[in-house]
Amino acid sequence: MYKALFVFHRWLALGASIILILVALSGAAVVFEGPVSLAHAVRVTPGATPLPLDTLAARATAAAGGGTVFIVSIGPDSDLAWGFGLVSRDNRRAAPLLDPYTGAVLPPAEPSTAVRTLRSLHQFHVGLMAGTAGRTTVALVTIAALILVVTGLVIWWREKLWRISRNASWKRIVFDLHHATGVFTAPVLFVITFTGLWVHYGQVDDWMRKLDSTPQAPPPQQPAPDPGATLLPLDSILHIARAAVPGAAVMSLQFPPNAKAPAIVQLRYPEDHTPGGRSRVFIDRYRGTVIRNASTRLAEPGTQLVNLKRSLHTGDVLGAPTQVIWFLAALILAAQVVTGVMMWWNGRAARKAGAASARFVRRNSA
């Protein structure tokens, strides 16, 4: 049984080796995509308080030559420029940036080389830049990586090698490195590979939500307005959301062009390290009533796990400390493949000698 598992582990790793190395290295790089993007965002000099949101929206509309605001991006820091997404009647879109304290329209931000590179690496990581076939390949390689982590632990358990013999031959050092780094990073690699599959196969969300005591409700609809009713000011919607989810920072406000959809305010608590936050407040755009308060602090266990899915995969879950650990684990995953291939190569002579000896014994025992 052990020998069969060992052979399976070896050939699975060899078969997935090249793609797995590429996916692991690109994954290590995009661990820092969020922090790098935030570091290169357009900054302003903070004032006492931002201008009224409706005033800013009016200036953004004028700068865009007309249109309707459908999203306002605020972000986590007080010195960030605010982005306004607008759409016109002929479906033209514009995205002016404004200084929220002065109302000045800022020049459009060109992504830095680092941001563009990380965005490209992100696309490569999730689908090898090869469409559906690439995403399927990455999913299959991720399944292989998860199996390798589990089978590697089973194989390691037999000899429990976790020290590196520094005075041994280089072949032995490679052998020890493969076993020691593998066992120490296995818990993190299990989380990374499992959540990677979870991200790819969204139906896992439904399985997780079975842990909730109440089934997931469909997206809320905007109630029909009373005759003569007008849309609430954007500032009113902002204040209502902040009151509904106290202590959370507003990340964005969304006003879907579809009249049947309510306003959606996305917020982020300090403990939520995902870029956009996971709390959402759905607000009646005419009456100002809260239709649904999807606060992460009020979420049931299954939904809490779904909320954690992305940050568990990327290493954002506890901020910078876990980002560094996830980065190192992804590098070690690539190194595991390399040392595994080296072990297979180094063992060719011994396997040939063993096979020749077995043939000799069979011939002489016939």
Side-chain angles (χ1 to χ4, degrees):
M1 179 65 182
Y2 173 84
K3 184 177 180 180
L5 185 65
F6 180 82
V7 171
F8 172 75
H9 180 87
R10 175 202 295 163
W11 287 106
L12 179 62
L14 289 172
S17 58
I18 296 175
I19 302 298
L20 183 52
I21 289 173
L22 294 174
V23 171
L25 291 178
S26 58
V30 300
V31 163
F32 299 109
E33 181 182 13
V36 169
S37 297
L38 188 59
H40 288 80
V42 177
R43 301 281 171 168
V44 300
T45 301
T49 57
L51 293 173
L53 188 54
D54 290 281
T55 300
L56 295 171
R59 295 191 183 184
T61 302
T68 302
V69 173
F70 67 89
I71 187 169
V72 181
S73 299
I74 295 177
D77 300 331
S78 61
D79 62 345
L80 284 172
W82 290 10
F84 289 77
L86 296 100
V87 60
S88 64
R89 289 184 177 179
D90 57 356
N91 208 33
R92 289 185 300 106
R93 295 187 176 238
L97 283 174
L98 271 70
D99 183 328
Y101 303 98
T102 66
V105 179
L106 304 174
E110 288 295 328
S112 66
T113 301
V115 171
R116 288 197 303 270
T117 300
L118 286 174
R119 286 176 181 173
S120 297
L121 284 172
H122 187 134
Q123 294 304 313
F124 182 85
H125 178 70
V126 300
L128 306 177
M129 293 184 175
T132 302
R135 289 191 293 273
T136 301
T137 301
V138 170
L140 292 174
V141 167
T142 307
I143 292 172
L146 179 59
I147 294 172
L148 289 170
V149 171
V150 175
T151 56
L153 280 175
V154 175
I155 293 169
W156 173 88
W157 187 257
R158 181 171 177 172
E159 298 182 2
K160 301 181 180 64
L161 298 174
W162 56 273
R163 293 182 179 179
I164 299 172
S165 304
R166 290 176 292 180
N167 297 324
S169 67
W170 70 269
K171 292 182 179 180
R172 177 67 194 198
I173 291 174
V174 168
F175 182 86
D176 289 347
L177 276 172
H178 186 82
H179 287 76
T181 56
V183 71
F184 283 120
T185 56
V188 175
L189 292 178
F190 181 87
V191 171
I192 291 173
T193 52
F194 176 75
T195 53
L197 290 174
W198 187 356
V199 170
H200 181 81
Y201 297 106
Q203 56 265 43
V204 179
D205 287 356
D206 299 330
W207 302 344
M208 293 296 176
R209 287 197 174 98
K210 291 184 184 298
L211 299 173
D212 295 344
S213 60
T214 55
Q216 183 187 21
Q221 298 294 306
Q222 168 65 49
D226 298 325
T230 58
L231 292 170
L232 284 175
L234 304 188
D235 288 286
S236 296
I237 292 175
L238 180 62
H239 295 321
I240 291 166
R242 283 175 171 159
V245 189
V250 174
M251 306 300 290
S252 69
L253 299 92
Q254 301 168 40
F255 309 96
N258 180 3
K260 295 182 179 180
I264 306 168
V265 183
Q266 193 165 344
L267 304 97
R268 189 173 81 178
Y269 279 115
E271 69 271 16
D272 182 2
H273 293 282
T274 52
R278 286 290 181 263
S279 297
R280 288 175 175 80
V281 181
F282 299 82
I283 299 171
D284 187 318
R285 299 164 75 168
Y286 296 92
R287 302 171 183 83
T289 54
V290 174
I291 302 173
R292 183 181 301 170
N293 182 355
S295 166
T296 54
R297 291 183 178 177
L298 302 176
E300 296 190 66
T303 301
Q304 287 181 350
L305 289 172
V306 173
N307 290 336
L308 282 172
K309 170 181 62 177
R310 185 191 182 280
S311 58
L312 282 172
H313 182 64
T314 60
D316 295 333
V317 60
L318 294 178
T322 47
Q323 287 172 338
V324 172
I325 293 171
W326 263 235
F327 169 75
L328 294 174
L331 291 181
I332 290 172
L333 176 59
Q336 284 289 98
V337 179
V338 173
T339 54
V341 172
M342 292 174 69
M343 289 162 54
W344 166 77
W345 184 265
N346 293 338
R348 287 185 311 144
R351 289 193 298 273
K352 287 181 179 179
S357 176
R359 287 194 298 270
F360 177 81
V361 170
R362 285 196 301 269
R363 283 197 303 266
N364 288 275
S365 62

